[in-house]
Amino acid sequence: MERRAIAIQGIVQGVGFRPFVFRLATALKLHGFVKNQTGDVMIEVEGDSPSLDRFLNELQNHPPPLAKIETLTWRPCATRGDVTFEIHDSDRQTGGEIFISPDIATCDDCLRELFDPSDRRFGYPFINCTNCGPRLTIVTGAPYDRSRTTMRTFAMCEMCRAEYENPTDRRFHAQPTCCPACGPTMRALDADGRDICIGDEAVEYLVENLRDGKIAAIKGLGGYHLACDAANDFAVAELRRRKHRDEKPFAVMAGDLAAASVFCNMDARESELLLSPARPIVLLAASRLSTITPAVAPGNPLLGVMLPYTPLHHLLMRKIGRPIVMTSGNRSDEPIAHHDADAVERLAGIADVFIVHNREIHVRCDDSVTRIADAAELPMRRSRGYAPSPIRLSRRLTLPTLAVGGQLKSTFALGRGHQAFVSHHLGDLDHFEAYRAFERDVKLYEELFDVRPRRVACDLHPDYASTRYASSRAASENLKLIAVQHHHAHMAGCMAENGLDRPVIGVCFDGTGYGTDGAVWGGEFLIGDFRSFRRAAHLRYVPMPGGDMAIREPWRMADAHRIDSGIGENANVTIRRMIDRKFNCPITSSMGRLFDAVAAMTGLRERVSYEGQAAIELEWLAGGVTMDGYPIESSGDDPIVIDTRPIIRAVAEDVLKKTPAAVVAQRFHRTIIELIVQICRRLRDASRIQCVTLSGGTFNNLLLSSHSAARLREEGFSVFRHRLVPPGDGGISLGQLAIAAATEE
Ligand code: ZN
Ligand code: ZN
Ligand code: FE
């Protein structure tokens, strides 16, 4: 007889881990207990050594599907002669049960029950279990139990309670457990918010309306979707008109993998990602034979595709049997609607039908958007299904830390020990609603993960709403404030998720980031580590006529670059005057703005309806790269200043010669790729550093990212890219946290 005390860290709570331990111990006739403690699982178990070995072996090798064991340690202890194996209540004194699971797509067992006419949850749109269902989106506080979720208003019926309390049941301690007798109800409303029908009839009503080309607002896990028939030109055009979303692509939901492969091409990795429990939107190459109307993603060679992830989606997709547009339920760039009254009001005039229910969404959570790039995942928006799973930091945080992120595509991150809890996507904090959610969700995460920050990290930009929040909390709670330069945070985020902790060459390309000299940076080569950096090279500064106006109107950047290059004869007179008088013309080294300028020069687009649109279209237009790029010149060596003028003059010459725009786009991409290689080579020669990180929103451009990585590897560099957080500003908070971890107290 012996007894062992086992401690397990990782994603082990809210994923059916304790019942699994219970069943395993019982099967092996071992006695003792299991309990949750400050985010870990503690087990004490006694029996004969071979059984104990088997127990440990099974724990490590066959944990429940959603569990992720990061570390498992054990030590022998004195036997106690237990005669049972028990699941102990959570240890509230030590912080209680810490909830860390994201929302999970309906599992196969629940799906089977959903379509089994003899099951008591047959056709019930709120079916879930320990292995699936809502988590983050319904939680209102800690410790995680039903009374601190939006399910608190539903009293479990006797049958549900029996399942909930039975350690061998799939619904043991599944907080959102419910059934048609005791759980939420779905209702269909008309365009004016009047009741039409409930339950099964509501699904029927939804299907009929979508078939008729109507637009529906559907309450999902993290917010409302707007939906319509993806093959109906008129419906999609009407949705676009009503939503005032001129060109931004819509995502499409397909019933299953086979249905999706009719209208897009995918490889094994992509289909695996589509089917993963997070069920993200995956960007896939649209097939030529697609029945999806082009209005879904105009001009876009890619299509954002997802598979059903709630029981309602499954019921809907089975009944309707065709792909459906599923886009965030909001007007243009506002945050997604998630409260019923609010949704009916805000989506009035857009939706013909509302599918609502009385399980409240507490945390608004958008769909995640991701893709496969060179056989690895490249996240573009990390949100539902991913957040708040922790990301492991190689450096241990000595103090609990809050990192508030940036301003656009914002996320925040809370750190404790080696764990970084990077939040769901909060959107653009200049929207009041988004900012309010940011404030509230920071507090919620602090409670959920039992992290009381003693330090707060923010962007160097003084006017970001997140920076102001950080300063005011630092002042009122007497916390240490760490201001992190934007591109240093990009680089550190990429280092952190790749487990790097030595100096790197950080290639940081994006639209906008506040520089240490007060200029707008964005075409940067940094050399440094978590602790410090030096700006080793950057694009030549040019004016941004009109500041933010230059982001929405790329023709302004084209003029600014032409004037800078001495070929501005035909430039707009007002722009010239603004530049001459330095009136509202911040200077920038932004790579995003250089892409904008070139896109405008090729005649691709003068104005954009969302940031980065011109650059994205330049990538589509290129479709590949040529061998011959434009001249690359630079001056100085600390920092190296990359001259954009020869590039601009060569582009102008090509345009004048009527070189096809696609060729110009290909040459421009080649130029930037070779520029990266050239500068990195020079920096390596001087510093002996051969590790390169590629970070910043510009690296959402797959053509640029893939070719740069390949060329750098050819030249003997080790290249690291983003796989866990987005290269864009959604990854800033992780970088800030990693930098804080390396900063002395
Ligand atoms: Zn399930
Ligand atoms: Zn029930
Ligand atoms: Fe950025």
Side-chain angles (χ1 to χ4, degrees):
M1 263 324 220
E2 63 173 288
R3 187 177 180 96
R4 294 178 185 174
I6 305 164
I8 303 173
Q9 277 117 34
I11 301 176
V12 285
Q13 298 193 350
V15 292
F17 201 81
R18 285 176 305 160
F20 156 77
V21 171
F22 174 88
R23 285 192 295 271
L24 184 60
T26 314
L28 291 167
K29 303 200 165 46
L30 300 172
H31 301 150
F33 67 85
V34 56
K35 69 173 182 184
N36 284 339
Q37 193 177 306
T38 32
D40 304 340
V41 164
M42 305 292 298
I43 306 168
E44 282 192 27
V45 65
E46 61 182 71
D48 58 76
S49 335
S51 299
L52 288 170
D53 289 343
R54 258 196 75 193
F55 179 75
L56 280 169
N57 196 30
E58 283 295 307
L59 272 185
Q60 275 170 303
N61 297 322
H62 303 105
L66 300 178
K68 240 184 236 154
I69 296 181
E70 277 179 11
T71 57
L72 184 154
T73 50
W74 69 271
R75 57 179 174 79
C77 54
T79 55
R80 285 211 218 145
D82 291 342
V83 291
T84 55
F85 192 88
E86 285 173 2
I87 296 178
H88 283 184
D89 280 343
S90 301
D91 191 346
R92 293 283 153 79
Q93 273 71 43
T94 56
E97 192 164 355
I98 293 176
F99 159 74
I100 47 176
S101 169
D103 299 277
I104 296 295
T106 308
C107 74
D108 289 345
D109 290 327
C110 286
L111 209 51
R112 215 168 295 125
E113 292 169 352
L114 181 66
F115 290 107
D116 173 3
S118 69
D119 193 276
R120 67 193 188 88
R121 294 187 179 88
F122 174 63
Y124 183 55
F126 303 95
I127 186 169
N128 68 83
C129 74
T130 342
N131 300 320
C132 73
R135 295 286 189 281
L136 176 66
T137 51
I138 59 165
V139 70
T140 58
Y144 176 58
D145 64 27
R146 191 170 175 114
S147 66
R148 275 167 292 261
T149 70
T150 59
M151 285 298 291
R152 72 185 170 273
T153 50
F154 302 95
M156 267 184 248
C157 69
E158 247 169 73
M159 283 167 92
C160 285
R161 173 144 310 271
E163 291 170 327
Y164 178 85
E165 285 171 355
N166 176 1
T168 64
D169 193 278
R170 205 172 87 245
R171 295 194 168 85
F172 176 70
H173 279 204
Q175 304 303 346
T177 293
C178 61
C179 74
C182 67
T185 320
M186 206 168 61
R187 292 183 301 147
L189 314 178
D190 68 10
D192 300 317
R194 280 185 301 247
D195 268 307
I196 300 292
C197 52
I198 61 164
D200 297 346
E201 281 177 43
V203 181
E204 285 296 342
Y205 184 74
L206 171 62
V207 170
E208 271 166 36
N209 274 279
L210 289 175
R211 279 205 182 119
D212 280 355
K214 297 281 180 12
I215 294 164
I218 304 173
K219 189 171 178 181
L221 265 182
Y224 274 81
H225 279 127
L226 286 165
C228 72
D229 182 349
N232 184 329
D233 299 354
F234 174 79
V236 176
E238 186 60 15
L239 173 57
R240 217 167 257 294
R241 191 186 67 75
R242 292 188 198 170
K243 216 185 149 184
H244 301 292
R245 182 161 178 158
D246 293 337
E247 283 132 345
K248 235 176 177 174
F250 292 143
V252 170
M253 181 175 281
D256 55 25
L257 224 44
S261 52
V262 171
F263 58 86
C264 53
N265 305 317
M266 62 184 107
D267 63 19
R269 278 202 176 75
E270 288 165 332
S271 50
E272 196 182 307
L273 198 50
L274 272 176
L275 281 170
S276 71
R279 292 284 161 107
I281 295 173
V282 183
L283 298 186
L284 299 170
S287 126
R288 285 174 189 281
L289 300 166
S290 175
T291 50
I292 307 288
T293 161
V296 167
N300 196 331
L302 302 174
L303 205 53
V305 181
M306 62 181 150
L307 298 181
Y309 58 82
T310 68
L312 173 60
H313 293 157
H314 284 285
L315 294 168
L316 164 65
M317 296 315 285
R318 253 195 219 198
K319 281 220 170 85
I320 199 157
R322 63 177 81 171
I324 297 293
V325 164
M326 280 279 196
T327 184
S328 311
N330 55 7
R331 260 174 222 281
S332 58
D333 287 331
E334 287 176 14
I336 186 169
H338 69 300
H339 284 303
D340 300 341
D342 177 49
V344 173
E345 192 176 303
R346 274 172 57 197
L347 303 178
I350 299 183
D352 303 306
V353 185
F354 288 86
I355 300 297
V356 304
H357 58 70
N358 52 349
R359 186 180 74 201
E360 196 195 320
I361 297 169
H362 187 69
V363 177
R364 185 181 64 222
C365 198
D366 296 76
D367 292 318
S368 294
V369 183
T370 186
R371 70 196 290 189
I372 295 290
D374 302 321
E377 187 170 354
L378 175 73
M380 305 184 72
R381 180 162 75 203
R382 182 184 182 274
S383 203
R384 178 190 51 75
Y386 291 81
S389 291
I391 294 172
R392 198 178 159 75
L393 296 170
S394 53
R395 264 179 198 255
R396 202 186 143 73
L397 282 158
T398 49
L399 290 176
T401 305
L402 166 68
V404 295
Q407 173 81 358
L408 305 177
K409 301 180 171 67
S410 136
T411 63
F412 61 84
L414 261 187
R416 180 191 56 197
H418 283 288
Q419 287 176 313
F421 301 100
V422 179
S423 78
H424 50 289
H425 165 91
L426 288 143
D428 299 351
L429 297 188
D430 34 20
H431 281 286
F432 180 62
E433 276 300 317
Y435 180 72
R436 258 205 346 210
F438 164 86
E439 274 188 322
R440 199 200 57 176
D441 293 348
V442 166
K443 286 289 183 190
L444 178 67
Y445 270 52
E446 286 174 10
E447 191 181 333
L448 292 182
F449 301 112
D450 196 26
V451 178
R452 311 286 157 209
R454 305 259 307 275
R455 217 168 27 181
V456 50
C458 64
D459 197 274
L460 201 59
H461 200 305
D463 297 328
Y464 279 180
S466 57
T467 304
R468 286 197 297 266
Y469 172 84
S471 321
S472 87
R473 278 210 51 189
S476 66
E477 294 169 40
N478 199 19
L479 310 175
K480 187 178 172 192
L481 184 68
I482 304 170
V484 178
Q485 199 280 323
H486 189 87
H487 302 94
H488 188 206
H490 272 310
M491 177 183 105
C494 192
M495 288 171 66
E497 64 162 87
N498 284 290
L500 302 175
D501 201 354
R502 288 160 296 143
V504 300
I505 299 171
V507 184
C508 308
F509 288 174
D510 65 0
T512 306
Y514 193 82
T516 51
D517 58 358
V520 180
W521 291 11
E524 315 301 314
F525 292 75
L526 310 182
I527 288 186
D529 53 19
F530 290 129
R531 247 167 311 206
S532 66
F533 74 96
R534 131 183 117 72
R535 191 186 194 195
H538 64 85
L539 293 187
R540 178 185 159 83
Y541 280 134
V542 293
M544 276 174 80
D548 283 352
M549 284 287 275
I551 298 175
R552 288 188 293 274
E553 300 182 357
W555 67 266
R556 288 169 181 259
M557 284 317 297
D559 268 4
H561 268 289
R562 282 198 204 99
I563 292 169
D564 183 53
S565 307
I567 53 167
E569 310 80 37
N570 301 321
N572 180 291
V573 182
T574 313
I575 296 295
R576 178 180 288 282
R577 217 172 282 148
M578 286 172 79
I579 292 175
D580 285 346
R581 294 183 192 162
K582 297 193 167 59
F583 174 77
N584 196 8
C585 280
I587 51 167
T588 186
S589 56
S590 165
M591 181 59 81
R593 297 293 86 78
L594 179 62
F595 267 83
D596 283 355
V598 171
M601 287 173 74
T602 61
L604 194 54
R605 162 173 300 285
E606 304 256 291
R607 284 177 179 74
V608 293
S609 59
Y610 57 96
E611 202 207 339
Q613 185 182 9
I616 289 168
E617 291 180 0
L618 198 66
E619 179 191 0
W620 300 343
L621 179 65
V625 290
T626 48
M627 285 319 291
D628 59 324
Y630 297 122
I632 299 164
E633 290 171 27
S634 60
S635 61
D637 53 17
D638 193 21
I640 299 167
V641 177
I642 301 153
D643 200 343
T644 46
R645 292 172 301 183
I647 303 173
I648 294 296
R649 286 186 208 119
V651 169
E653 214 171 291
D654 259 353
V655 170
L656 206 65
K657 281 193 300 206
K658 303 231 176 333
T659 306
V663 174
V664 177
Q666 292 179 1
R667 287 185 178 156
F668 177 68
H669 275 83
R670 169 56 65 194
T671 311
I672 304 304
I673 294 157
E674 293 309 320
L675 179 158
I676 292 173
V677 174
Q678 264 192 36
I679 300 292
C680 286
R681 262 201 320 238
R682 267 181 73 180
L683 299 179
R684 177 175 59 187
D685 289 347
S687 68
R688 317 308 315 159
I689 296 168
Q690 54 90 38
C691 268
V692 177
T693 58
L694 303 180
S695 194
T698 304
F699 287 104
N700 281 321
N701 179 329
L702 201 53
L703 201 56
L704 181 68
S705 155
S706 283
H707 283 271
S708 308
R711 281 285 293 118
L712 285 165
R713 289 200 179 104
E714 248 173 55
E715 300 280 336
F717 288 97
S718 308
V719 185
F720 298 90
R721 289 188 278 171
H722 286 276
R723 300 160 300 124
L724 303 178
V725 296
D729 285 3
I732 286 285
S733 59
L734 178 67
Q736 292 172 343
L737 204 58
I739 287 168
T743 307
E744 302 298 319
E745 282 171 32

